Amino acid sequence: MSPISTPPLMNKKVNDFVVKFANVNGSGSASANSMFAKAIFRMGIPVSPRNIFPSNIQGAPTWYEVRICEQGYLGRRAGKVELMVSVNPQSMADDVNEVCEGGYFFYDNTYPLDFKLIRDDINYIGLPLTQIVNATFNDPRRRQLFKNIIYVGSLSYLIGIEFSALESIVADTFKAKPKLIEPNVSALQLGFDEAKKAFNEPLPIQLERRNKNDGKIMLEGNAACGLGAVYGGATVCAWYPITPSTSVAEGFEKYANKLRKDPETGKNNFAIIQAEDELSAIGMVIGSNWNGARSFTATSGPGVSLMQEFLGLAYFAEVPAVLIDVQRAGPSTGMPTRTQQSDLLISAYASHGDTKQVCLFPATPKECFELTADAFDIAERLQTPVIMLTDLDLGMNEHICDDLEWDDSREFDRGKVLSAEDLDNMDRFGRYLDIDGDGIPNRTIPGTHAEKGAFFTRGTSRDEYAIYTEKGEAYQRNMERLLVKWKTAPEYLPKPEITNRAASSSSSGNGIGVIHYGTSMAATHEALDQMSADGVAVNDLRVLAFPFSDEVKAFIDQHDQIFVVEQNRDAQMKTLLVNELEVAPRDLQSVLEFNGDPISATQIREGIENNLKTDSVVKSA
Amino acid sequence: MSPISTPPLMNKKVNDFVVKFANVNGSGSASANSMFAKAIFRMGIPVSPRNIFPSNIQGAPTWYEVRICEQGYLGRRAGKVELMVSVNPQSMADDVNEVCEGGYFFYDNTYPLDFKLIRDDINYIGLPLTQIVNATFNDPRRRQLFKNIIYVGSLSYLIGIEFSALESIVADTFKAKPKLIEPNVSALQLGFDEAKKAFNEPLPIQLERRNKNDGKIMLEGNAACGLGAVYGGATVCAWYPITPSTSVAEGFEKYANKLRKDPETGKNNFAIIQAEDELSAIGMVIGSNWNGARSFTATSGPGVSLMQEFLGLAYFAEVPAVLIDVQRAGPSTGMPTRTQQSDLLISAYASHGDTKQVCLFPATPKECFELTADAFDIAERLQTPVIMLTDLDLGMNEHICDDLEWDDSREFDRGKVLSAEDLDNMDRFGRYLDIDGDGIPNRTIPGTHAEKGAFFTRGTSRDEYAIYTEKGEAYQRNMERLLVKWKTAPEYLPKPEITNRAASSSSSGNGIGVIHYGTSMAATHEALDQMSADGVAVNDLRVLAFPFSDEVKAFIDQHDQIFVVEQNRDAQMKTLLVNELEVAPRDLQSVLEFNGDPISATQIREGIENNLKTDSVVKSA
Amino acid sequence: MSFIKPSFRHPSAPTNALGLTTQAYEGGISTLCAGCGHDSISASIMQAVWALNIPPHRVAKMSGIGCSSKSPNYFLNKAHGFNSVHGRMPSVTTGANVANRDLLYIGVSGDGDTASIGMGQFAHVIRRNLNMTYIVENNGCYGLTKGQDSATADEGHKSKKGKINPFESIDLVALALELGATFVARSFSGDKDQLVPLLQAAMSHKGFALLDVVSPCVTFNNHPGSTKSYDYTREHVQAGSVVDFVPMEQEITLDQIKGSTQEVALHNGDSVRLSKLNDNYDPTDRVNAIKVLHKHKSEDKLLTGLIYLEPESDNFHDILNLPETPLSQLRENTLCPGSAALSAINTGLK
Amino acid sequence: MSFIKPSFRHPSAPTNALGLTTQAYEGGISTLCAGCGHDSISASIMQAVWALNIPPHRVAKMSGIGCSSKSPNYFLNKAHGFNSVHGRMPSVTTGANVANRDLLYIGVSGDGDTASIGMGQFAHVIRRNLNMTYIVENNGCYGLTKGQDSATADEGHKSKKGKINPFESIDLVALALELGATFVARSFSGDKDQLVPLLQAAMSHKGFALLDVVSPCVTFNNHPGSTKSYDYTREHVQAGSVVDFVPMEQEITLDQIKGSTQEVALHNGDSVRLSKLNDNYDPTDRVNAIKVLHKHKSEDKLLTGLIYLEPESDNFHDILNLPETPLSQLRENTLCPGSAALSAINTGLK
Ligand SMILES: Cc1ncc(C[n+]2csc(CCOP(=O)(O)OP(=O)(O)O)c2C)c(N)n1
Ligand SMILES: Cc1ncc(C[n+]2csc(CCOP(=O)(O)OP(=O)(O)O)c2C)c(N)n1
Ligand code: SF4
Ligand code: SF4
Ligand SMILES: [Mg+2]
Ligand SMILES: [Mg+2]
């Protein structure tokens, strides 16, 4: 099929390759692309699709990179791709170069290929897509839309997507508009048939049905956060649009409309407020929580910067608040459609003065769901803001994860909120009095009691009874109590997840440990499993929360060499570990990736192997 | 003089005691108080006065604590005071308790003293101040104002302030309103005479003329910053009122009006803009600097929180900016009229994403002057924001320091700004191209050249030629260049100041080192000199800038035990040292004070001595 | 610090319908300067809430930062208060209000807090027609930071330091009208007779009510040359529709009402009685209100009174389609859809 | 991405007084959606600057964040631009402008950028009467974040997703009038004949000039039900004082001018010629302008044209008493008082 010489042949690869689609944004390719990934999911094969989109609305190049991985590794696979589906002339030159040796470049051959795009080490497979749609449809919009469906049909033939899987997705997608089912299936069939006609045999990269996705779903992290907020009892969502966090509020809206409308009155048992900016959004969240309603906001880096003053108020006045930061590449506007984990410092020590903020780090949509729901309990229990740090990769891409679960016996933990009865039964109420020795005082909600419990919430110094004071001792007592609370915090936070790959500790040392968090998980596990398979055992600990629980320190102490994997330039998690656990910085080596792409196993493995101290290596069992 | 029993006698103390005035704020005591301190200054005796004022405007207790210290230590002296001048009934109970054993409580005995205020271990000295003023003046406002002058006159007698020093101050103060000189001098004389009449001898605490203040001035740090900005060539000051920074802009205004009005046209060669908030203030500063005018703002913690987004933009787009943060006790509104050093983290790593910001830490008004002027050179040389961290103690109190100096041959360092000619003589201009290998690119000012040098400044990712890009490699190159610039930075920053007290390094170890910064200087030096006198030699290093120069790391390496003295709860400088220099946290021990009072030598000495490892002690020479 | 509890206890200590004397509505000792206009407003607020028979603990006192924003400390001790951050009272109040629609929200702000740093939130809380009373204690300066001109300082006004303000002032009343506020009034801290009924009407209004109250800063802005001093204000006040608030049960007649009167119904069934300067003034005509306002301004007169009222409008609770039960009172059974619903969702994600 | 360079090259390539063709005023290739109103505005801006004979590099292009705020990239490549942060263009422009009074400042913002997050800075840059042209590319939505309603979305307007907007829109023109803006105009991206002269007049005005330009978002806000679509706007536009800009040297006559005309002098000696719909309309009467605006609105008409102009007013440079030489050009000799002055200061501090 190659126009010039015979390219190298590719060995047959089953369920282990990458397909990348080069589209134009705003051209409606998104639904065709997701149909492609979903069909593979339904075939029981682990698959991880990722959108790579520009910070503009229409007409710019956009890619959809789908990794298929029998072994279930869902992180980004670095390197070139086996199959490029090129439907964007604009980016073709770059796209051609992305194909691996012996790989395939699928393109619309209605027009001849520019000879400059010809490489002799890859295979070109052309189908006259434009010609086909022009011959089939009259309406230009349909031509555009169905072109995408047609190439999915062709791929069905070329790499073995079960046609029935595609059909089932079409049926599900257009359940509400059944008239659209038939044309879509026809378009798929057309693509299939045309490909079959043109190519006498399918490609050596092939999909084969498995059953690896039983008990699993495919979901975007942001939607999962929105759903988690519904389950966690959030009633007020105040937000301001910003990529890549917008779909958190949209997710909440979608699920709340479905699950939270009063069936009798039609009233909303929730409120969604598009604020005028992020300062206002977090102000509303603080106001609602102060007044007894669970409330949250979602934003990204620039929003977190704008929320600093309010975060300091909430820390110091001890008002619960939940903030979901879907991180993107900073600083400043940075690369707003690329991923990064670089808002740790601004979150953990948000605001001027001495402050410390609780942070959560989910790694999967399921954890987005769970930790969002938990965040409300944590915020009320600890009476402080909880900042959940997810990222664009997790938030805006569909990821396979386990089915979501909910324990119906679970009750919201409202923390130490006093009822009117409690107030009646107590002496003087002291809002900032540490009665239990855990640094967490009692709290009252406005309107609770006619005579007792009212106080003036403020960002200024006050004594245990919330009376304004400028006395240094009272101020200091309060600040020290906040540290006691900080020590209490891990008790209420999710524990780290530890995976031991090393045989039980050898005498020569305890080997290598890797610390990571959030979306570095998949790639880290992949890298370490590979190393393990190659005889080098590496344990890992995934941090789920800040402040750290003792297990994190123990893990560091138990290993001879520790790597910290992060998707930022400045090793921000390392800074937190060093600062809070009093670990020596030179005991933590960083593996950093910060170019905006999700980190890959290859990068992690290289980062570790290039820096291994041979005496800390422990062989895998 | 004591109403009940004979209190212990105090030994004679010359030039080494503390006098504290308890006033009502808004009562006009400020000028009388400062006359008191200034007179001592003019007697050639080291003196350090401090205002302790409430966060309200009128009627609340306010104190003025004046330390007189022959040896020249200007830090706050902790502990009780030798003489309390009590003119505020409201705070009398507390004030009485502040007097040291055998000390003196000076009060208005027009009304009898509440017996509950009687301690038998101190001396009460009463003068009928109210009665005197009522007999002397008719106008209630004059009665109020002159009461303050009268007690200064009395003190002149009681502790030996040279009357001529007071007279000279009155003459200077009312140079423009000579009619006021006589009544003020008379009031002083009246106080003097009444005291002499009432008490047959002066107190055992006495002032004696010295010549320690030759070549010295007395100035507030904030005014010095304002003056430094005039000398540093700032033309635009954009600010928003906030305690304790307001007087920086006021200082700039005062000096600019005096020194920067065009004598011919009467036009202002400067602009002062009271912005609508801090976001706007920093935005204006960035706009001015971008457009080639040196510009700065001054604020305090809450303002720094609000400026985060813009600080990230300036870091990433590489726009110079100067920000003076006069720190106060946080978090949130905190204790707005108390001092603290707790905005280090929010400044050093300001904004979301990976950012690092240049910070300066002056310790004296002279340094406020110099570092403010330098800050503009640094900001333009490094093309980045420079955040100067001073504090309420330094900014709002008069401190003795060396005469200000200026080298008339000094030129502003505008950094790598290209002229039209430069542009003509070069190939393609690359705004973000690292030509010199120091990470600092060339810069152009709008309007310079008709054809070349224009570019689009932005907070988004771009390549070396300022062309928008979403390519990960280009983004990464840029972020790495910023790190190169960061490494270059110390070259242009003030070096740390090291004081060696230990004899040259002994074989057993290199002893103890103390790291401090800003207003902890005076108290640290005092503490270490004391220890040295007592045989324990301790060296110290004062940090003047962030990022740290190599000397800081070397100092840490050279000592067996390092203490870091800070006025915050969370050891923020330690965090920076650990993070940037890869020092082990356990090698840095913190001495922290954060209750809002300026740190004292006593606290520092205790903090060190309670934690001394005996094997790191080196005897002083 | 005034040391005077702004109290207004009557010898016979009358009680309201709840059986409470005004004492139950008092606050802490004021730390404001003696004579500060803000303290008079606090006294009027207590009086109004008392007269409206609202239990003190059913009020939420919201504020930003400034002398004015401190003042909620000095009334209604039994009510919760939230002294938030500078210029952001509206957002905090919006959140609080959406959480619990059953409290009465009294927001107290200053002209610095509102017209400078808070301008954006001010505009948007109006746009949302949040059910609250928004009081600007307007002294034309930044009291707490020692008297800088604020954005409501009049052009040509002379500051205590002698500087002439070169900027046109922002008229919050005109702005609120333009932004669609549904209740707009102005008063003077020294005119309790007008202020108390206006407060009552504002608090009874079901929607956003702005009350711009000229409140002299005795310390920094009460000198000759100031256009926000007691003297200047007294001289330039032009009482527009003087207001009397008429609770459903009982009609109060005030002697101060001059001219012909018109009764405008409020949402809760109560009504305000307007006393107008001339018969053409219709306080429900927004465009006319803007015109009259500008006319008074051009004549150097300060129009006070109820300037605009839109009795029927959807407030933010209506817009959000909220249930009668406050959101803060909903519990797990209402809020959490449970595992069965989750299974269905899982199925949809396969 | 339109791939079309918004160029307007004429076959005969006319040159302006500087001898430049319009080509010298072009920008980069637009990455906005094909058909986006913003691109038309860019083209009009180029045309206006060209026609005003301003050298391209003497312009500073200022913006916030949004599709609209990106557009300065697509005109005047030879001018510096500053794409700052969301909603804060006014402050950056204020700083820049004070630094160098000699450039022409063109600020481009969006309705999200201005009426929501940027509301405070918008109000205050008006209050300062900064000498700039402030263009709001008003599409009633947040284009760049995919079409959420903005605060200028009209009440009752239907979003692409089918939601009805329950909030009253903020009318930036009315607001600017109320806040004292000295030049206020509205236009439509599709009406170049009106837009170009308005831009020229705005750029010649010595003070703050607001140009609110309805600029349909073809992708998210150009559907039936939208009140900011091309169709809706075309139908509802009511051209008020249509404007022709008359440079001092040469008079342009435009056929579009209807009705009687009135010439209003601009500060720089040029003038604008107004074509009024009726003889009573006086664009220098602020209160009347507000009234007329509201009247049109109540009749569901969108008034475009030059709505208000105050030809004589102190702009921010005057208020700050700045010298003729831009501050950015002052050097050590002027700025640094030197050691002798410092000695005197030292003496005063003894
Ligand atoms: C973010 C922030 N900036 C500045 C301040 C300082 N500050 C405190 S009160 C105030 C102005 C108060 O003026 P206004 O709202 O008019 O209240 P007033 O004191 O006049 O009643 C300012 C600027 C602050 N607390 N927070
Ligand atoms: C602080 C901050 N918040 C949110 C965003 C996300 N954001 C980018 S553009 C935009 C709105 C743009 O709307 P508008 O100004 O109307 O411009 P348009 O795209 O419609 O031209 C928003 C909210 C951001 N960049 N920064
Ligand atoms: S400073 Fe002014 S506003 Fe503040 S309390 Fe005093 S009089 Fe009132
Ligand atoms: S999304 Fe709308 S505003 Fe943005 S470029 Fe496209 S059409 Fe224009
Ligand atoms: Mg005020
Ligand atoms: Mg828009």
Side-chain angles (χ1 to χ4, degrees), chain B residues 252-309:
Chain B
F252 181 72
E253 184 169 22
K254 175 179 132 187
Y255 288 116
N257 270 323
K258 207 155 119 182
L259 304 166
R260 278 274 195 80
K261 267 200 186 293
D262 189 298
E264 279 158 42
T265 62
K267 295 282 177 187
N268 294 338
N269 286 325
F270 64 93
I272 297 172
I273 315 174
Q274 185 182 316
E276 61 272 29
D277 60 19
E278 289 87 348
L279 289 98
S280 183
I282 187 75
M284 291 174 188
V285 169
I286 289 171
S288 292
N289 277 297
W290 172 78
N291 219 5
R294 293 186 154 194
S295 171
F296 75 106
T297 187
T299 189
S300 189
V304 178
S305 277
L306 288 171
M307 292 177 183
Q308 292 291 303
E309 191 193 15

Side-chain angles (χ1 to χ4, degrees), chain A residues 582, chain B residues 562-566 569-572 574 585 588-592 607-608 611:
Chain A
E582 298 256 314
Chain B
I562 294 278
F563 291 89
V564 184
V565 175
E566 310 196 46
R569 184 193 68 179
D570 291 344
Q572 300 193 21
K574 175 178 165 181
L588 303 181
Q589 281 170 283
S590 287
V591 177
L592 303 173
I608 295 172
N611 292 286

Side-chain angles (χ1 to χ4, degrees), chain C residues 1 30 37 46 62 78 140 166 177 179 185 189 202 209 215 217 247 249 258 272 279 281 289 300 303 313 316 324:
Chain C
M1 200 130 105
S30 172
M46 294 182 236
M62 315 301 291
K78 292 176 184 172
L177 279 170
L179 289 163
S189 63
S215 176
C217 170
E249 311 93 60
K258 310 170 205 108
V272 256
D279 281 338
Y281 191 70
D300 217 13
L303 184 67
S313 67
F316 201 40
E324 288 306 313

Side-chain angles (χ1 to χ4, degrees), chain B residues 55-56 58 90 240 253, chain C residues 1 31 70 86 117 149 163:
Chain B
S55 174
N56 99 343
Q58 187 225 69
Q90 216 185 326
Y240 188 70
E253 184 169 22
Chain C
M1 200 130 105
T31 63
K70 279 180 180 181
H86 195 29
I117 193 168
D149 279 348
K163 268 197 282 189

Side-chain angles (χ1 to χ4, degrees), chain A residues 57 240-243 246 277-278 299-304 306 328 333 336, chain B residues 309, chain D residues 32 36 38 64-70 85-88 109-115 117 136-148 150 152 215 217:
Chain A
I57 298 303
Y240 188 71
I242 187 166
T243 309
T246 298
D277 61 19
E278 289 87 349
T299 190
S300 188
V304 178
L306 288 171
R328 64 189 208 185
T333 309
Chain B
E309 191 193 15
Chain D
L32 303 181
C36 177
H38 303 350
I65 297 282
C67 296
S68 31
S69 294
K70 279 181 180 180
V85 288
H86 196 28
R88 319 294 176 195
S109 181
D111 43 317
D113 200 58
T114 290
I117 192 168
V136 181
E137 302 190 342
N138 193 342
N139 54 17
C141 74
Y142 288 13
L144 192 56
T145 54
K146 305 211 157 187
Q148 298 83 5
S150 78
T152 68
S215 175
C217 169

Side-chain angles (χ1 to χ4, degrees), chain D residues 98-127:
Chain D
V98 167
N100 185 355
R101 61 187 299 167
D102 279 357
L103 305 182
L104 172 72
Y105 293 86
I106 303 178
V108 178
S109 181
D111 43 317
D113 200 58
T114 290
S116 290
I117 192 168
M119 178 55 89
Q121 298 213 340
F122 176 69
H124 285 272
V125 73
I126 291 178
R127 187 162 168 267

Side-chain angles (χ1 to χ4, degrees), chain A residues 122-137:
Chain A
I122 65 170
N123 302 285
Y124 291 80
I125 45 182
L127 264 191
L129 294 172
T130 306
Q131 198 181 307
I132 296 169
V133 287
N134 288 357
T136 319
F137 306 99

